[in-house]
Amino acid sequence: MKNHCLRQLRSRLSKTGRLDLSLAPYISMTFFQDTSPGIGQLIPLLVQFFSDKPSSVFVVGGYLRDCLLSRAPSSDLDLAVGGDVQAISRQLADYLSASLVPLNPQRGVFRVTSSGSSHGVKSELLPAWSIDLKGLAGEITEDLAGRDFTIDAMALPLDELLKDTWAESIVAPFRGHRDLVRKSNHAVA
């Protein structure tokens, strides 16, 4: 079924010259609803955690690509976060009973991680996972413009991730979602 849907997406792209993501939610919602352990099970907790924060939060990187391609759940998630990313990362680690690892504090990059064993009630039921948080200095489009390749220059507001219409909310100023369907990749101009 997945391959059929991807062929349909490619077919619609080639006929219209534009990417029609109307099938993407059908393809990928199974990814979020997968009952096997993985980072996907943390998504509702993350949405809840960030719901009372004034900062913008976007899913970026490989997890978003995997969602669009309906690949198996990943054990890591990349988030672009507005506000004080160090304080937010610390709060998130506490909230998830996980560890905080400063990857590059000068550039606003932190990792919240769990080994999956005895790291608290919320984490102990999952295999090892990590969430990398990077601070946003401005708008998400500015952040995406600083990426190397178009398929890496896509973002999705975190709170949209669990909605049936999530694919309509993808921010892709360099058309990375189109390149995914075409199985091509280009440098961000």
Side-chain angles (χ1 to χ4, degrees), residues 14-100:
S14 63
K15 288 178 184 172
T16 65
R18 293 186 32 217
L19 180 59
D20 178 356
L21 287 175
S22 64
L23 293 176
Y26 170 75
I27 295 169
S28 300
M29 283 313 291
T30 57
F31 182 84
F32 302 121
Q33 296 166 350
D34 193 297
T35 56
S36 64
I39 197 85
Q41 292 181 327
L42 289 177
I43 299 298
L45 290 172
L46 293 172
V47 170
Q48 181 181 8
F49 171 80
F50 284 105
S51 67
D52 66 348
K53 305 279 184 277
S55 57
S56 300
V57 183
F58 294 88
V59 176
V60 294
Y63 188 85
L64 182 55
R65 281 193 314 272
D66 289 347
C67 290
L68 285 168
L69 295 172
S70 195
R71 290 185 178 160
S74 176
S75 63
D76 62 74
L77 178 68
D78 297 316
L79 299 177
V81 181
D84 184 350
V85 70
Q86 183 172 4
I88 292 169
S89 298
R90 189 176 309 113
Q91 293 166 4
L92 181 60
D94 290 343
Y95 179 75
L96 295 174
S97 302
S99 300
L100 176 63

Side-chain angles (χ1 to χ4, degrees), residues 75-167:
S75 63
D76 62 74
L77 178 68
D78 297 316
L79 299 177
V81 181
D84 184 350
V85 70
Q86 183 172 4
I88 292 169
S89 298
R90 189 176 309 113
Q91 293 166 4
L92 181 60
D94 290 343
Y95 179 75
L96 295 174
S97 302
S99 300
L100 176 63
V101 179
L103 296 178
N104 192 336
Q106 296 80 10
R107 296 182 127 193
V109 183
F110 297 87
R111 176 171 288 161
V112 175
T113 186
S114 171
S115 67
S117 60
S118 67
H119 281 284
V121 176
K122 293 178 182 170
S123 300
E124 68 189 6
L125 302 175
L126 300 173
W129 52 265
S130 65
I131 302 168
D132 289 349
L133 296 95
K134 181 183 181 299
L136 281 173
E139 296 296 318
I140 188 63
T141 52
E142 295 172 39
D143 179 80
L144 297 176
R147 308 225 172 200
D148 293 336
F149 298 105
T150 57
I151 63 171
D152 294 325
M154 297 184 293
L156 177 70
L158 178 66
D159 61 340
E160 296 291 323
L161 195 56
L162 296 179
K163 296 179 181 177
D164 288 340
T165 58
W166 67 269

